[in-house]
Amino acid sequence: MAARRAASRRVRAPFAALAALWLVAAVISLVQLNFVGPGISPPRRLARGFRSMRLVQQRAGPEIEPAPGSRKSFDLVVGKYYHATVLKFYRNATSLALGVEKPGYLHVSKMKPKEEFVVNASDILNLKDVIPVRILKIKQKEVEVVMPEAEAEQPEFQKRPLWEYKDGEEVDGTVAALRQRAVFVDVGAMVDAYFPEENWGAMKGKMEVGQKLKFRIEKVTGCRMTLTEA
């Protein structure tokens, strides 16, 4: 009797193994058809998914403005993004072409977040690379810019952009700096407002750093705000 049972088990074993293999194949087919798609293996599908994610991330980058047709740096807009071409490396910075008469200036501290400290610009950039940058300041001889990866650490970009202000608007401001022929005022914008001597009027000789005053916007452009008396 025991011999008959053992023989029966030996006969059924191959059929059980075939049934198990068939079940595994059926499950894989269902996964491919319902989750992955016909004719595409799971590894290939995952690889395609990662490529799609990278493409979405690239498309989700900042909106790039065209270079000013005037080729003048004062027609750039502070806080907006432009393409820049790497021209030259310095010890702690790189010079960029922005399509205007002044070169762009990108310091290593404005390339990556602080935890990703950059020693040399050439470690992450190459000559003739075209990169997105955000306009921080337009200076007398250059345009200071920031790479998008480091913009979150710039307090200026947490303030109100100039394009949200209107000529004739009244603003509250704090005197930030006194010069011989002008006063610079913090009105909460990305750039300190300019209050020239010819607009001082009755306020002449009565201003000091830290003083809070009311002003009226005489003119605002993409990179500068000029104030007059309220």
Side-chain angles (χ1 to χ4, degrees), residues 8-227:
S8 178
R9 283 197 295 270
R10 285 196 297 271
V11 171
R12 288 198 302 269
F15 291 102
L18 287 172
L21 289 173
W22 179 85
L23 181 60
V24 171
V27 170
I28 292 174
S29 297
L30 286 173
V31 169
Q32 287 183 330
L33 286 172
N34 297 325
F35 179 72
V36 177
I40 304 176
S41 66
R44 287 178 59 196
R45 182 68 174 183
L46 287 172
R48 183 177 295 181
F50 287 132
R51 285 196 297 270
S52 298
M53 288 171 63
R54 286 197 296 268
L55 287 173
V56 169
Q57 289 174 346
Q58 290 172 3
R59 293 192 197 107
E63 183 177 348
I64 304 296
E65 300 290 324
S70 65
R71 299 185 63 82
K72 294 181 179 179
S73 57
F74 287 108
D75 287 332
L76 294 169
V77 179
V78 172
K80 293 208 170 185
Y81 301 87
Y82 296 84
H83 275 137
T85 303
V86 178
L87 293 180
K88 187 176 181 180
F89 292 117
Y90 300 106
R91 183 177 178 183
N92 295 314
T94 183
S95 178
L96 307 169
L98 291 164
V100 296
E101 88 285 4
K102 292 180 183 178
Y105 177 81
L106 177 60
H107 192 266
V108 291
S109 64
K110 293 177 172 58
M111 293 181 180
K112 293 285 184 181
K114 289 181 180 178
E115 60 270 18
E116 299 179 39
F117 183 73
V118 178
V119 178
N120 298 303
S122 57
D123 291 341
I124 61 170
L125 298 174
N126 297 304
L127 291 176
K128 298 186 179 180
D129 276 356
V130 178
I131 59 173
V133 295
R134 195 173 185 186
I135 305 299
L136 180 62
K137 295 177 184 177
I138 298 176
K139 299 183 174 181
Q140 186 174 359
K141 295 183 179 180
E142 62 197 14
V143 179
E144 190 173 354
V145 300
V146 178
M147 289 179 67
E149 294 91 332
E151 66 179 33
E153 297 174 356
Q154 299 301 317
E156 293 88 346
F157 295 144
Q158 309 306 317
K159 297 183 177 182
R160 186 178 171 189
L162 289 175
W163 61 81
E164 291 185 358
Y165 293 88
K166 304 295 181 185
D167 293 353
E169 180 181 342
E170 283 196 2
V171 291
D172 294 317
T174 302
V175 176
L178 297 172
R179 299 290 183 267
Q180 187 174 356
R181 297 184 178 277
V183 172
F184 291 91
V185 183
D186 181 1
V187 297
M190 288 184 178
V191 176
D192 283 348
Y194 175 71
F195 187 33
E197 182 183 23
E198 59 267 24
N199 292 349
W200 289 353
M203 299 173 70
K204 185 174 183 179
K206 300 179 181 179
M207 293 175 285
E208 58 185 31
V209 174
Q211 187 177 8
K212 297 184 182 299
L213 299 166
K214 276 193 172 295
F215 302 88
R216 186 181 301 277
I217 299 175
E218 182 178 63
K219 185 175 180 60
V220 62
T221 65
C223 67
R224 187 172 186 173
M225 180 190 295
T226 304
L227 300 177

